[in-house]
Amino acid sequence: MRIAVLGGDGFIGWPATLHLSNLGFEVFIADNLSRRWIDTELGVQSLTPMDSIQERRRVWREVTGHDIGFERIDVASDYSGLKSWLDELRPDAVLHLAKQRAAPYSMKSDQHKNYTVSNNVNATHQVLNALVELSLDAHLVHIGTMGVYGYANVGATIPEGYLPVDIRLDDGSSSTLDILYPANPGSIYHMTKCLDQLMFQFYAKNDGLRVTDLHQGIVWGTHTDQTRRHVQLINRFDYDGDYGTVLNRFLIQAAIGHPLTVHGTGGQTRAFIHIQDCVRCIELALKNPPERGARTQIFNQMTETYRLRDLAHMICDLTGAEVAWLPNPRNEPEENELVVRNDQLLDLGLQPTTLKEGLLEELVDVAKKYAHRIDRSRILSTAAWSKERAERLAGSNGNAIG
Ligand code: USQ
C-alpha cells in the first residue's frame, strides 16, 4: 500500500510513518514543518532532542533499508502543490495529521484562534477537494478527537460517532435516524475538529469519498518500537503549558521535582491512549477502509478513561511528587463522568497498553535523562479561555506552586 502522510513530522505523524514503513508500506510525507516553527515562536523545545526530518529519514534508511519520501508542502495554503504531489504519487491512502493540534495554543490570542481555524479547516478541505478533482479513490484516514463529544454529564455511554435518535413525525409516528453525535467543542482547536466532521459527511455523501475519522483521546508516552531503534529516530515530547498534554506533563513534572499542575479540582475525566496503540490503530484503520458510498467511518481511538486527580495521585504514589491545585485556565466542567465505546478497534485486533504496564516509569526515566533541556518557567499553562479566567490566573501568579 502506498500512503501519503500529511503532517508526518509531528508527534503522531513521525511514529506513525515509521510504524507503517516498517510494515513494508511505501510512505511519503508532506509537511510544512510548522510544529518546529511554533517551537521557535514559543521559545520552547521538545524535551527530547530532535533531528531534522532529512536526518531522521537518512537514519531510518540506514537502520531498515526503507525509504521515506518527503516534500515540504503547506497543505492548508498550497493547494496546487498538494494536488500535484498527490497526482504524482497516486496513493492508496492518505493519513491526514496536518493540523495545529493544541487546545491551549488555539486559545492564546485572537491571532492564534484565526491561525488554528484557517489552517485546520483549509487543510481538511483542500485534501478532500484535491481527492475529488484528481479522481483519486484513496482512503482518507483523519486523526480527529474525543473532544468533539464534549464533557457534559449526559449519563450515557459515548457511542462511536453516531447517535440513533427517534424523530417525532408530523403524523404522530416516529422514525429513527443516525446523526453525528451533537458536537460540543471545548476550544477553538476542538471546534475545528467538529467542522471537519461536517466536511467528511458532505464529501462522503456527495463524492463517494472513503473516509475514516479516528476520534482520539489524549495520547501519552513518547517511544514506539520503531522510534526506539536509534537515538536519532526519537519522537518529540512536549512538556510546556501550550503543547504538553496532561499525563506526559505530570510525568515530566514528577521527574524534575515540580508539583503536578492539576487544573481546578482535577475532577475532569478524559480518555487516554498510549502512542504505541495509537500507531497500531492507524494501521488497523488503513487496512479496513469503508466501502465507497458509505458514510464516514468513525472509531473511538482510546483505551482507558481516568479522572485527572486519580492520575495525579497515581503518579504521586509512584514518584513521591506533590500536587499543586491551580486555578483552571479553561472553561470546562469541574467534574464529569466519561464512559466510551471503543469496540470497533478492539474487534479489529487492538490489544490495549494500559497505564499499569510499567511504561509510566519509562517516561519518568526519559524525563530524567533530558531534564537539563527543561525550562521550568514554561511549565505552567498561561493560555486562558476567557478574559475573566486570565485575570484569575494572573492574580494567582502561580502561587499554588511552592
Ligand atoms: N490539564 C491539567 N493540568 C495540566 C494540563 C492539562 O489539569 O497541566 C487538564 C486540562 O484542563 C484538561 C485535561 O487536563 O481538563 C486535558 O488537557 P490536555 O492538554 O491533556 O488535552 P487537550 O487540550 O484536550 O488536547 C489533547 C491534544 C489534542 C487531542 C485531545 C484529545 O492536544 O490534540 O485532540 O487531547 S481529547 O482531550 O480527548 O479531546
Side-chain angles (χ1 to χ4, degrees):
M1 196 189 312
R2 176 174 271 222
I3 304 169
V5 182
L6 314 178
D9 187 46
F11 171 61
I12 295 173
W14 178 243
T17 294
L18 298 191
H19 183 80
L20 298 171
S21 175
N22 185 60
L23 291 170
F25 297 135
E26 284 180 274
V27 189
F28 300 83
I29 293 173
D31 200 301
N32 63 356
L33 309 181
S34 60
R35 193 57 198 87
R36 295 173 187 258
W37 287 108
I38 290 174
D39 276 345
T40 305
E41 174 209 334
L42 295 174
V44 292
Q45 57 181 355
S46 160
L47 169 79
T48 48
M50 272 190 305
D51 282 338
S52 68
I53 181 77
Q54 291 83 353
E55 184 64 5
R56 286 171 146 187
R57 291 163 57 227
R58 183 189 69 77
V59 172
W60 179 249
R61 194 181 315 114
E62 243 178 54
V63 172
T64 65
H66 295 309
D67 277 321
I68 294 170
F70 170 64
E71 195 74 28
R72 191 165 162 202
I73 299 176
D74 188 325
V75 174
S77 67
D78 182 8
Y79 179 65
S80 58
L82 172 70
K83 203 168 131 185
S84 42
W85 183 72
L86 286 173
D87 197 21
E88 207 174 294
L89 284 182
R90 307 297 299 182
D92 303 295
V94 175
L95 174 60
H96 176 27
L97 306 118
K99 296 296 179 74
Q100 190 299 95
R101 68 102 183 133
Y105 184 85
S106 79
M107 301 297 287
K108 272 180 101 61
S109 72
D110 51 353
Q111 281 170 17
H112 293 90
K113 290 178 186 181
N114 282 343
Y115 167 70
T116 302
V117 170
S118 70
N119 183 75
N120 290 6
V121 174
N122 280 327
T124 294
H125 188 257
Q126 303 216 131
V127 176
L128 292 163
N129 199 3
L131 292 179
V132 172
E133 252 339 273
L134 296 169
S135 304
L136 194 51
D137 183 27
H139 173 205
L140 178 66
V141 175
H142 171 253
I143 302 288
T145 176
M146 284 295 300
V148 298
Y149 302 120
Y151 297 103
N153 279 310
V154 175
T157 301
I158 301 281
E160 300 205 63
Y162 296 97
L163 185 70
V165 292
D166 284 333
I167 298 183
R168 179 76 59 86
L169 304 182
D170 292 347
D171 65 7
S173 63
S174 69
S175 164
T176 303
L177 190 66
D178 270 3
I179 60 166
L180 278 172
Y181 193 90
N184 186 8
S187 71
I188 293 287
Y189 154 74
H190 288 98
M191 185 185 79
T192 65
K193 295 280 177 176
C194 296
L195 297 171
D196 284 334
Q197 295 193 98
L198 293 178
M199 290 190 269
F200 297 142
Q201 186 181 48
F202 174 76
Y203 275 94
K205 180 184 70 174
N206 195 62
D207 299 287
L209 292 192
R210 297 179 297 140
V211 182
T212 299
D213 197 6
L214 299 170
H215 288 186
Q216 183 166 253
I218 299 169
V219 179
W220 65 280
T222 186
H223 293 318
T224 62
D225 292 343
Q226 306 314 320
T227 65
R228 275 193 198 92
R229 290 175 75 167
H230 192 288
V231 67
Q232 284 179 275
L233 296 174
I234 201 162
N235 196 13
R236 62 174 303 127
F237 191 152
D238 300 304
Y239 69 90
D240 62 283
D242 289 314
Y243 268 88
T245 51
V246 66
L247 179 50
N248 278 1
R249 271 165 64 71
F250 284 177
L251 289 163
I252 284 186
Q253 292 161 2
I256 63 165
H258 190 286
L260 308 191
T261 55
V262 175
H263 295 165
T265 64
Q268 308 94 311
T269 307
R270 293 291 184 272
F272 292 88
I273 184 165
H274 188 266
I275 186 91
Q276 182 70 57
D277 288 356
C278 161
V279 299
R280 167 81 171 134
C281 287
I282 288 170
E283 172 200 337
L284 292 171
L286 284 164
K287 287 176 171 167
N288 292 279
E291 296 285 321
R292 200 171 163 79
R295 68 184 187 183
T296 305
Q297 173 168 262
I298 301 177
F299 297 155
N300 287 340
Q301 187 160 303
M302 50 71 68
T303 54
E304 298 176 278
T305 59
Y306 279 97
R307 203 177 284 283
L308 300 189
R309 61 171 168 264
D310 296 337
L311 271 186
H313 288 141
M314 192 190 299
I315 293 166
C316 289
D317 290 345
L318 186 76
T319 62
E322 290 182 0
V323 173
W325 305 95
L326 298 175
N328 197 338
R330 306 188 185 199
N331 277 334
E332 57 186 4
E334 284 201 354
E335 307 274 327
N336 72 293
E337 303 298 327
L338 186 62
V339 184
V340 182
R341 295 206 78 107
N342 63 347
D343 314 58
Q344 294 183 90
L345 283 164
L346 294 176
D347 289 349
L348 290 175
L350 173 67
Q351 291 177 325
T353 306
T354 64
L355 252 61
K356 311 262 188 254
E357 288 173 33
L359 292 172
L360 292 177
E361 286 92 333
E362 181 191 58
L363 273 186
V364 175
D365 290 344
V366 173
K368 283 187 176 150
K369 179 167 176 199
Y370 295 110
H372 58 281
R373 292 171 55 85
I374 294 178
D375 177 351
R376 294 174 75 99
S377 73
R378 310 311 302 272
I379 289 183
L380 290 187
S381 279
T382 52
W385 262 230
S386 64
K387 291 186 175 140
E388 188 216 329
R389 281 183 191 265
E391 277 162 24
R392 229 184 296 163
L393 270 189
S396 87
N397 207 14
N399 279 342
I401 306 253

